[in-house]
Amino acid sequence: MDRLTQKQRSDCMSQIKGKDTGLEKLFRKSVAGLKIKGYRLNAKTTGKPDLYFPKNKIAVFIDGCFWHGCPRCYTSPATNKKFWSDKIKSNTKRDKTVNTELRKDGIRVVRFWGHEVETNSDRCAGKLQKIIVKYE
């Protein structure tokens, strides 16, 4: 049983940001530290990548472990199990569709799990840098 009322839970959930999250800011700081330039935020590209490099045609996504069903970190909530199961399945299905559409358009897709960025954002930025260099 949820400890919060339906209104309290709704208020909590409405505060969850979809853009400019702490993980995105942390990752961008690491990217800036490696002097990686040429990316766009809020690019009008399929799937709304967190960073998009138009010159190199690279879309970068930072997938939250809960919202995208990380195999390492995801734990199902104790309440409203069917809703959350369906929600996570639809998110992962959408991720696969976005990957396919971007690749059809010649765009390379790079995805990092939230826990990867949180524990070592510099290493993730380094991986991105290698990919950018490879496709310059």
Side-chain angles (χ1 to χ4, degrees):
M1 181 104 197
D2 198 352
R3 290 179 279 172
L4 302 177
T5 67
Q6 190 172 5
K7 170 134 179 47
Q8 289 171 323
R9 177 61 61 205
S10 179
D11 290 342
C12 284
M13 296 304 284
S14 72
Q15 297 303 309
I16 297 172
K17 299 189 329 180
K19 281 286 176 199
D20 226 20
T21 65
L23 288 175
E24 290 175 29
K25 289 177 182 178
L26 178 64
F27 183 68
R28 287 197 310 257
K29 186 176 179 181
S30 293
V31 166
L34 291 176
K35 298 189 179 8
I36 300 172
K37 297 181 181 183
Y39 65 85
R40 302 287 172 261
L41 303 176
N42 306 317
K44 305 283 189 248
T45 307
T46 302
K48 300 179 185 172
D50 298 309
L51 298 177
Y52 179 64
F53 294 83
K55 178 184 168 192
N56 308 88
K57 295 187 109 180
I58 297 172
V60 180
F61 295 89
I62 301 169
D63 294 335
C65 292
F66 175 77
W67 297 104
H68 296 267
C70 173
R72 177 178 148 191
C73 304
Y74 178 75
T75 55
S76 180
T79 59
N80 213 356
K81 288 183 184 274
K82 179 162 176 23
F83 169 81
W84 286 113
S85 174
D86 292 346
K87 173 68 176 163
I88 302 307
K89 283 178 188 170
S90 74
N91 287 353
T92 56
K93 183 179 178 185
R94 185 182 65 241
D95 292 343
K96 289 176 184 175
T97 302
V98 165
N99 289 353
T100 301
E101 289 180 28
L102 288 170
R103 287 182 182 129
K104 280 182 185 174
D105 293 337
I107 298 171
R108 290 165 195 84
V109 179
V110 178
R111 288 189 177 269
F112 295 107
W113 285 112
H115 72 263
E116 293 176 298
V117 173
E118 188 172 33
T119 57
N120 200 337
S121 62
D122 291 340
R123 190 175 87 198
C124 294
K127 286 181 182 179
L128 174 62
Q129 186 176 44
K130 287 178 184 175
I131 293 167
I132 291 169
V133 167
K134 182 177 179 180
Y135 294 106
E136 280 189 321

